[in-house]
Amino acid sequence: MAMKLLALGCINRNGSSRSAGLSPTPHYPSMPKYPKGAAVDDTTVSRAEAKVLFSVVGMTCAACAGSVEKAIKRLPGIREAAVDVLNGRAQVIFFPDFINEETIRETIDDVGFEATLIPEYDTNDRSTQVCRIRIKGMTCTSCSSTIERALQVIQGVQEAQVALATEEANVQYDPKVVSYIQLLQAIEDTGFEAILLSSGEDMSKIDLQINGVQTGDYMRIIEQSLEALPGVLALESSLEGKKISISYKPDMTGPRTFINVIETTGSKRYKANIFPEGGGGRETHRNEEIKKYYRSFMWSLVFTIPVFLTSMVFMYIPGIKSGLDTKVVNMLSIGEILRWVLSTPVQFIIGWQFYAGSYKALRRGSANMDVLIALGTNAAYFYSVYSVLRAATSSHFKGTDFFETSSMLISFILLGKYLEVLAKGKTSDAIAKLMDLAPETATLLSLDEKGNVINEEEIDSRLIQKNDVIKIIPGAKVASDGYVIWGQSHVNESMITGESRPVSKRKGDSVIGGTLNENGVLHIRATRIGSESALSQIVKLVESAQMAKAPVQKFADRISKYFVPLVIMLSFLTWFAWFLAGKYHGYPESWIPSSMDSFELALQFGISVMVIACPCALGLATPTAVMVGTGVGASQGVLIKGGQALESAHKVNCIVFDKTGTLTVGKPVVVKTKLLKNMLLREFYELVAATEVNSEHPLAKAVVEHAKKFREDEENHVWPEARDFVSITGHGVKATVRNKEIMVGNKMLMLNHNIAIPVDAEDALAEAEGSAQTGILVSIDGEVAGILAISDPLKPGAREVISILKSMKVTSIMVTGDNWGTANSIANEVGIEADLVLAEAKPEQKAERVKDLQASGHIVAMVGDGINDSPALVAADVGMAIGAGTDIAIEAADIVLMKSNLEDVITAIDLSRTTFSRIRLNYIWALGYNVLGIPIAAGALFPSTGFRLPPWIAGAAMAASSVSVVCCSLLLKYYKRPKKLDNLDIGGIKIE
C-alpha cells in the first residue's frame, strides 16, 4: 500500500542504516559536511565546532528555508545547518578554522534574505503560531503588498504572506508579543475588512445555530452553561443571527456535547445544529462575492441601458430625438436631464465601492485599480455636470455631456469583476473536490461495557468526536480516520493513497476518512477528526501551495508599485498634449467630431488612457495559474508545495533516483535459500526468525514473513527466545537462540567477527548480486550456515519512465545504499548507465552527490521515500517524496507523489512545464495588452486612421483583460498527462 512504502526506508545491509532514529516527519534534517582535510573523529569535531544563530527576514515558506539551508550547506566547513521558517531563524554548526560567521551571513544575504547575527539566545523561550485571515476588498497586487508591509512592521510578526487570488493572509507571529486581534486591527487600519479563519492556537472552532431563544437573558444562560464545560476556550454569540461560535480543545470536548448542553439547558425548548454552509468557508465567501457583483451589475444595467439609449440610439430616431432635444431652461434639454438623473445612482451608489477603495488606498499612500476607475468616471461625470449647468445658465452654450461614459464604464467594470470572481472561484475546484470526499452523515454506535452495540444513531459527520465508534456499511464512505475494532472488509483508498486495488481491513488496521468501504461491515474508532484528519491535511497542503508565491511573481509586484502613478501621469500628459494641440491648431479642425470641441476630445483621450490600463491582469497572471496547476496536480496525486517548487521543477534537467521503494517496489521477499550445513530448513528459519523478529529493518521483516511459511499449521507465530540481541548499524544483527550464537547480516559483519566465508557462500553472494538481489549470510556458532537471496522487484514501467525522461532531455542517476553488484544490475534493467550509479552510499553521501551535480550546472530533482533520503531531498533544487500517502507533512520534499507510481515524476515535471508556459503566456498577454492598449487609447492611430477608442470601450477592454488572464489559467484544468504514460504497463505486482 502506498502509504506504507514511506515507512520502509532503505533496505540495504551494506550501507544504509537500520536504525529507527530518524524522525518519520523530518523538518529540515541535518547534513554533516566536513571540509576536505578535516578530521572526522568525534574528539576532533567536538573541539573545533562553533554554533551561531541568525535572524533571517523575508522567508515565506518551506521553499525559502530550503534555499537558505542549501546555500549554507554548500559552504566549506559547515557541519550542520537547520532553518526554521516559522520563527525566521537559522542555526549553523561550523568549523571556525574554515569559515566565519560573517561569510555565512553574507551567503544568506546573497540568497535574497536579510540575515542578522543573534549574539545570545534562549532556544527554549521561543514560540510561534500561524493564523489565517480572509481579507475583503483587495483589487490588485498593490493592495496585497500594502497589507503585507503593514503586517510585517508589527513587532512579534515573523512573516506575513498575502495572496490576492485566494484573498487570504497567512501570518506567522509570536503570541507572547502580539495577538491575532492586533493583526486583524492592523489590516482594518489599512482599509480592508479582515475575518479570522484560524488563530493557529491548538483549538477547533464551530458555529452552531440555535432555534427557540427569544431574549438575551436566555442566550446568556446558554453561554454560561457552555463556558463551564472543560475545554471551551471562547464564545461569540448573536441573538439576531441565532448563532453561537465556540472555540474549544478537541481532545477535551466536541460539538455533540455542546448541542446536548444547549438542548438540556432549555428543557428541550431550544434546538441546536451546525450552522448552515459551515460558518463562512472559502466557498461561501466566494459565492457571496459572486452574488454581490451580479446584483451590482444588474442594478447598473437598469440605469445604464436608458442612458445608452438616450445618447446613442434615440438620437437617430426623428420623433424621439426632437422630444429629447426639447429645451427646458436656456440650452438645457430633456435628454441631458434624463441622462444626469439616471447616471447619478450608478456613479455614487452602485459605484460607491470604487470611491471607498480609492480612499483607503490613497489614505495609506498608495494607488490601485479603484483610483484609476474613480478618476476616470469622475472626470467624465463632473465634466458632464459642468456642461449641463453651463447649458442651463447660458442661452448660446452648446456642449456635450459624457454621462453615458461614466455609467457604461462602471457597468462594464462590474461585469468584468463578476466574470473574474466567477472564474477565480473555479481555480479552487480541486479543494472543493477533496472536501467532497468526506461523507455528510455517519452512523454513531453506543456500546456497553462488554463492547456490545446497544444503540445506533445517524449524525452529521462534523459532529464526530475523538474515540467515537462509527459503523461503516458496504458502499459507504469512511467517516473519519481511525482503526477497525470489529469486522472485516476491503476498502478502496485510491482517492487518498492512489492504491488501485482495494485494501483488506480487519481488526486493528487503520482506515482513512473519505475512502470507500466495498463489501463487509466495519466498526471503527475515530482517532483523528476535523483539521487533524488525513483529508484535512491534504486540503491544507493544497491551500498552502496556492498561497505560496512563485519567484516570478516578484516581477509583477515590482511593476505594480509604479503602474498606477505612471498611468495617471500618462493620462494627464495625453489630455494636456491633445488640449495644447487643439488650442494652438496643431491638427486640422476636421479631426474634431461634430458633437464635441477640442477640450472634450482631449478629455476623452485622457479618460480612455486612465481606464484601459489594467494592473489586475498582471497581478493575476501568476497566482491563478499556480492555483489551477497545484489543484490539477492534487487531483492527479501530485502535491506541489507552492509556486517555488512549480517554478523550479520546470527547469529540472537531472533526476537522482533512490533505488529502494522508488525504482523498486520497496517490499523485499526471500527468493532463494542455500544451506551449507546439514539441518532442516524449518529449524534453520526458526533460529533466523527468532533473531530477526527483534529488528525493524525491512529485510528482517521479509525474512520473518518467509519463515512463517514453514509454520503454517500454527495460528500464532511464537518464536524461540533471543537473548543478548544486538543490532549492528549497516551490517546486521546477532543474538543467542537456544544457546547458539546466531549472526544474520552482510559480508562485512562476518569479516568483522573473524568468521570465514566459504567459497560456496562467495559464489552464492555473487550470483545473488548479479541477479539484482541482496545476499544475506547466516552464521551459527561462528560458521556460515546459509545464504538468503532477497529480491525487491522493479516497479512496473520503471524502464519506460527512464526512457521517457531521456526523451525529455532529463538525465537519470541512481543512488543507493545497496551493494555495487545489485545497484548495477538494477541500473542495467531500467536503462541507467553504469557511470551514473552511486552505490553503498549513506544519506549524507547522497546529498553530496546532489551538490556535486548542482556545482556542475545541473538543475537537480531528487526522488526518494522522504525518510532516509531527506538530506538529499533538501539539498536538491526540487525534492520529490514518493509513497507519502497520509504522511503529507514531509517538509523536506517540495513535491509529494501520493500514488507511489514512478510515472508521476514525469507528470510533475510536465505539469510544471505546462503551468509555467501558461504563466509566460499570461504575462505576454497582460503586458502586451497594456503596451498596445495605452498608446491606442491615447490616440496614436487617430491621426492616420481616424480611429478613436471611446472611454466606455476602453473600460470594457480593461475588464476583459483580467477575465481573459483568469480564463487562460483555467484552461490548465484540461491538462492531460503525456500520452506516452497511457501506454505504460503500470499494473499491480503480485508477490508470492
Side-chain angles (χ1 to χ4, degrees):
M1 188 173 66
M3 66 180 177
K4 288 185 179 177
L5 287 178
L6 186 66
L8 292 177
C10 293
I11 67 168
N12 170 52
R13 302 259 179 162
N14 298 328
S16 61
S17 172
R18 270 177 184 261
S19 173
L22 289 170
S23 168
T25 55
H27 187 67
Y28 290 104
S30 62
M31 294 191 294
K33 181 183 177 184
Y34 305 98
K36 291 177 181 177
V40 296
D41 61 273
D42 292 340
T43 55
T44 305
V45 169
S46 61
R47 276 201 307 267
E49 282 178 3
K51 183 190 291 186
V52 290
L53 185 74
F54 294 95
S55 170
V56 184
V57 177
M59 294 190 297
T60 57
C61 61
C64 297
S67 62
V68 172
E69 192 165 311
K70 290 170 193 173
I72 296 171
K73 288 176 177 176
R74 286 174 187 158
L75 294 171
I78 299 296
R79 172 178 165 81
E80 190 173 317
V83 180
D84 183 355
V85 66
L86 299 182
N87 291 302
R89 299 286 190 269
Q91 181 176 287
V92 185
I93 301 173
F94 65 100
F95 298 96
D97 292 341
F98 293 87
I99 196 168
N100 57 34
E101 295 97 327
E102 183 59 22
T103 304
I104 299 171
R105 190 195 65 75
E106 288 174 356
T107 299
I108 299 173
D109 285 350
D110 291 342
V111 178
F113 303 98
E114 185 182 339
T116 309
L117 182 67
I118 300 175
E120 297 178 6
Y121 63 95
D122 179 5
T123 55
N124 297 317
D125 190 30
R126 289 178 291 148
S127 61
T128 188
Q129 288 180 3
V130 182
C131 73
R132 284 176 60 224
I133 302 169
R134 173 164 295 118
I135 302 171
K136 292 185 177 181
M138 293 191 296
T139 57
C140 62
T141 50
S142 175
C143 302
S144 58
S145 299
T146 300
I147 298 170
E148 275 187 5
R149 289 194 295 270
L151 289 169
Q152 285 168 350
V153 298
I154 300 172
Q155 188 175 2
V157 171
Q158 281 122 21
E159 191 52 66
Q161 191 175 33
V162 180
L164 174 65
T166 58
E167 297 180 335
E168 290 181 10
N170 269 14
V171 187
Q172 299 159 9
Y173 67 102
D174 185 347
K176 297 176 184 176
V177 180
V178 65
S179 70
Y180 64 83
I181 296 172
Q182 290 171 283
L183 301 178
L184 295 174
Q185 187 59 49
I187 295 172
E188 298 275 359
D189 290 343
T190 59
F192 298 92
E193 184 182 349
I195 302 168
L196 182 69
L197 297 177
S198 66
S199 67
E201 297 170 6
D202 183 21
M203 65 178 185
S204 296
K205 185 176 181 180
I206 194 165
D207 297 324
L208 298 179
Q209 186 176 49
I210 305 176
N211 296 313
V213 179
Q214 304 296 328
T215 66
D217 290 336
Y218 289 139
M219 184 64 85
R220 279 190 290 276
I221 292 170
I222 291 173
E223 286 179 11
Q224 289 167 2
S225 301
L226 291 170
E227 285 173 342
L229 291 173
V232 172
L233 303 175
L235 289 175
E236 293 177 23
S237 63
S238 168
L239 181 62
E240 296 79 11
K242 298 179 180 179
K243 175 181 175 182
I244 189 163
S245 299
I246 308 165
S247 299
Y248 63 97
K249 291 196 172 184
D251 288 334
M252 301 177 68
T253 187
R256 251 188 5 265
T257 305
F258 305 147
I259 290 174
N260 185 51
V261 166
I262 292 168
E263 294 183 349
T264 305
T265 300
S267 302
K268 300 296 181 181
R269 286 179 297 163
Y270 310 141
K271 292 291 180 185
N273 54 279
I274 292 180
F275 203 80
E277 297 183 343
R282 180 187 287 187
E283 194 65 27
T284 306
H285 166 67
R286 187 74 72 191
N287 289 336
E288 288 174 358
E289 200 174 19
I290 290 170
K291 289 176 183 176
K292 183 189 86 170
Y293 280 115
Y294 178 75
R295 284 195 302 268
S296 297
F297 173 63
M298 294 309 293
W299 274 110
S300 72
L301 283 185
V302 169
F303 296 99
T304 300
I305 290 174
V307 172
F308 172 76
L309 291 174
T310 57
S311 61
M312 302 283 190
V313 179
F314 293 159
M315 301 307 292
Y316 300 98
I317 302 175
I320 300 176
K321 181 181 185 305
S322 59
L324 293 173
D325 286 342
T326 302
K327 303 294 185 269
V328 180
V329 179
N330 288 328
M331 300 300 290
L332 179 64
S333 67
I334 291 175
E336 288 173 324
I337 293 173
L338 281 174
R339 288 192 289 275
W340 187 10
V341 170
L342 290 168
S343 64
T344 299
V346 178
Q347 183 73 30
F348 296 109
I349 299 175
I350 298 169
W352 176 252
Q353 57 188 295
F354 303 118
Y355 284 99
S358 51
Y359 167 72
K360 291 170 183 175
L362 294 172
R363 192 183 68 176
R364 62 179 182 264
S366 64
N368 61 3
M369 194 67 225
D370 291 332
V371 173
L372 294 180
I373 296 168
L375 283 174
T377 56
N378 275 339
Y381 179 83
F382 284 109
Y383 176 78
S384 301
V385 171
Y386 160 79
S387 179
V388 166
L389 293 177
R390 181 83 185 274
T393 56
S394 172
S395 57
H396 58 270
F397 176 78
K398 289 184 179 180
T400 304
D401 66 85
F402 301 130
F403 286 120
E404 81 285 348
T405 297
S406 65
S407 56
M408 289 174 71
L409 252 177
I410 289 172
S411 295
F412 275 114
I413 289 165
L414 288 172
L415 173 62
K417 285 285 185 185
Y418 167 69
L419 295 174
E420 182 185 319
V421 172
L422 203 64
K424 276 162 65 178
K426 296 183 183 298
T427 61
S428 56
D429 278 355
I431 292 176
K433 288 176 181 176
L434 284 170
M435 295 299 288
D436 286 344
L437 289 176
E440 293 183 0
T441 61
T443 303
L444 177 68
L445 300 180
S446 299
L447 307 179
D448 61 18
E449 293 179 357
K450 296 180 180 179
N452 298 317
V453 178
I454 56 176
N455 186 45
E456 289 188 13
E457 179 188 358
E458 188 173 281
I459 61 170
D460 190 312
S461 61
R462 292 172 293 179
L463 294 176
I464 296 174
Q465 297 177 191
K466 280 189 178 180
N467 296 318
D468 281 346
V469 177
I470 308 296
K471 179 182 178 181
I472 314 294
I473 61 174
K477 288 181 179 179
V478 177
S480 167
D481 289 8
Y483 61 92
V484 179
I485 62 170
W486 179 89
Q488 187 171 329
S489 182
H490 284 80
V491 176
N492 183 349
E493 297 181 338
S494 60
M495 62 286 295
I496 302 293
T497 68
E499 180 69 50
S500 58
R501 292 170 298 171
V503 181
S504 174
K505 298 292 179 183
R506 59 189 69 195
K507 186 175 179 179
D509 289 342
S510 61
V511 290
I512 309 169
T515 54
L516 186 66
N517 184 28
E518 296 213 333
N519 37 39
V521 177
L522 296 175
H523 293 177
I524 68 163
R525 188 173 297 279
T527 55
R528 296 192 299 177
I529 58 169
S531 60
E532 296 179 349
S533 69
L535 192 58
S536 294
Q537 287 183 56
I538 294 171
V539 170
K540 186 177 179 180
L541 189 147
V542 176
E543 286 181 334
S544 298
Q546 294 181 346
M547 283 287 296
K549 289 183 179 179
V552 71
Q553 175 68 24
K554 294 175 184 176
F555 170 70
D557 291 343
R558 283 195 296 270
I559 291 177
S560 69
K561 289 180 183 178
Y562 312 105
F563 188 88
V564 174
L566 182 64
V567 168
I568 293 172
M569 187 172 69
L570 286 174
S571 174
F572 175 77
L573 290 175
T574 299
W575 167 79
F576 192 63
W578 278 101
F579 174 69
L580 287 180
K583 186 174 180 67
Y584 295 105
H585 308 291
Y587 57 80
E589 289 190 11
S590 59
W591 287 11
I592 303 173
S594 58
S595 60
M596 60 181 74
D597 58 25
S598 62
F599 175 85
E600 292 166 343
L601 178 65
L603 184 65
Q604 288 260 311
F605 282 127
I607 294 172
S608 293
V609 168
M610 193 169 295
V611 298
I612 199 171
C614 183
C616 298
L618 276 171
L620 292 169
T622 298
T624 52
V626 169
M627 281 183 73
V628 181
T630 52
V632 168
S635 68
Q636 300 203 17
V638 179
L639 296 183
I640 302 171
K641 296 184 179 180
Q644 171 77 50
L646 201 64
E647 184 167 339
S648 298
H650 94 280
K651 303 174 186 175
V652 166
N653 55 20
C654 178
I655 297 184
V656 178
F657 288 96
D658 174 48
K659 180 181 76 70
T660 305
T662 302
L663 291 174
T664 63
V665 176
K667 294 182 179 179
V669 290
V670 178
V671 293
K672 189 175 181 181
T673 308
K674 182 172 183 177
L675 294 180
L676 301 181
K677 291 183 73 173
N678 290 323
M679 62 189 303
L680 292 174
L681 203 57
R682 173 174 174 140
E683 181 188 354
F684 173 79
Y685 270 107
E686 287 268 331
L687 298 173
V688 175
T691 306
E692 291 280 46
V693 75
N694 296 298
S695 173
E696 289 296 316
H697 198 282
L699 288 181
K701 292 180 179 178
V703 171
V704 173
E705 283 299 314
H706 188 70
K708 288 178 182 177
K709 295 180 180 179
F710 298 96
R711 301 178 67 175
E712 290 181 348
D713 54 324
E714 299 179 25
E715 187 173 337
N716 295 319
H717 300 285
V718 180
W719 306 105
E721 182 187 0
R723 292 180 287 109
D724 304 323
F725 174 83
V726 179
S727 175
I728 300 126
T729 302
H731 297 300
V733 295
K734 66 176 183 176
T736 301
V737 182
R738 293 176 178 168
N739 296 319
K740 295 178 180 178
E741 187 183 47
I742 311 296
M743 287 192 190
V744 185
N746 57 22
K747 187 176 178 180
M748 191 61 66
L749 178 69
M750 303 299 157
L751 296 176
N752 288 345
H753 287 80
N754 298 317
I755 298 173
I757 302 174
V759 176
D760 288 351
E762 292 276 12
D763 292 343
L765 285 176
E767 183 185 344
E769 291 176 6
S771 303
Q773 296 165 358
T774 302
I776 301 296
L777 296 169
V778 179
S779 76
I780 301 175
D781 288 333
E783 279 186 55
V784 175
I787 302 98
L788 311 180
I790 298 180
S791 174
D792 185 10
L794 271 183
K795 282 189 175 176
R799 184 178 182 87
E800 290 84 351
V801 167
I802 299 299
S803 176
I804 293 171
L805 285 171
K806 192 173 183 179
S807 70
M808 294 169 69
K809 298 182 179 178
V810 177
T811 304
S812 297
I813 294 171
M814 188 180 82
V815 295
T816 178
D818 214 335
N819 61 75
W820 278 100
T822 303
N824 284 324
S825 296
I826 291 288
N828 184 54
E829 278 192 63
V830 297
I832 295 176
E833 296 173 18
D835 60 341
L836 298 177
V837 177
L838 175 65
E840 298 180 8
K842 293 183 178 179
E844 60 268 22
Q845 292 171 320
K846 294 180 182 181
E848 290 295 333
R849 176 63 170 150
V850 169
K851 292 177 185 178
D852 291 342
L853 289 166
Q854 290 169 330
S856 63
H858 289 97
I859 304 298
V860 184
M862 171 68 194
V863 186
D865 64 8
I867 298 179
N868 288 350
D869 301 312
S870 52
L873 287 169
V874 170
D877 296 289
V878 181
M880 298 187 190
I882 269 201
T886 58
D887 193 358
I888 61 166
I890 305 174
E891 289 295 333
D894 303 303
I895 297 175
V896 181
L897 309 178
M898 292 179 64
K899 295 180 180 178
S900 295
N901 291 338
L902 206 54
E903 75 269 22
D904 283 343
V905 173
I906 295 172
T907 303
I909 293 174
D910 186 67
L911 175 61
S912 69
R913 289 179 178 180
T914 304
T915 303
F916 212 74
S917 66
R918 192 55 49 89
I919 290 172
R920 285 199 196 98
L921 186 63
N922 284 346
Y923 273 127
I924 290 170
W925 166 249
L927 283 172
Y929 162 81
N930 283 294
V931 169
L932 293 175
I934 290 175
I936 292 172
L941 300 178
F942 189 63
S944 56
T945 65
F947 177 77
R948 180 173 59 86
L949 204 63
W952 63 274
I953 294 180
M958 183 272 288
S961 69
S962 295
V963 177
S964 62
V965 164
V966 178
C967 290
C968 184
S969 295
L970 278 175
L971 291 175
L972 279 171
K973 289 176 70 177
Y974 303 104
Y975 167 81
K976 301 291 183 186
R977 67 183 195 161
K979 290 182 179 179
K980 296 176 184 176
L981 296 179
D982 296 332
N983 300 323
L984 290 186
D985 180 22
I986 310 293
I989 296 177
K990 188 175 182 182
I991 301 173
E992 298 296 342

